[in-house]
Amino acid sequence: MNLPLKNPADLVARLELVEPERVLLVDAPPELAGLVEVTRPAPRTTRLATGDALRMVKESFDAILVWREDRGGSRSIFERVVKRLDGGGAIWVVTALRKVRGPTTPAVHRLELSDLVKAFAKDGLEHDREVRVSAWNVAYRFRDTGKKSRS
């Protein structure tokens, strides 16, 4: 995958992934993962994982970025990610924009902001920001509001 990142020089800062002590990247493409790793100063921890191997990740993180375009299987990944988030932390979900042609996931199967809002609401996470990552992708940030719904 050759991913043309938007403004790579300051992308990690715009995603607020420079300062957190512990960052988890789930299914991030190599271009983005490499950029995050070289931008974060030592001794900060950056861990890479696939959605399939997320069960083996036991520690918690201050910030988590999940690259997920397709709705299929996303619910279980989001549930696992929420369990790994430290209080006060943030989850970024990078997904394909609906009306673009670059991503391999067909538009009808792509995750949308409304899907993400619904997925994270039960855990008290609210959407509060977005950042354009590439010509085809956008990142949505979700933070803990302390208003966990009862279901």
Side-chain angles (χ1 to χ4, degrees), residues 25-29 49-52 65-68 77:
L25 304 176
V26 180
D27 292 331
T50 64
D52 295 336
L65 181 138
V66 180
W67 190 283
R68 192 80 188 157
I77 289 174

Side-chain angles (χ1 to χ4, degrees), residues 7-8 21 39 53 78-79 84 87 89 99 103 121 123 136 143 145:
N7 300 320
E21 287 297 318
T39 305
F78 294 150
E79 287 172 356
R84 301 292 167 252
K99 297 185 181 193
D123 296 301
W136 306 313
R143 287 192 162 283
T145 60

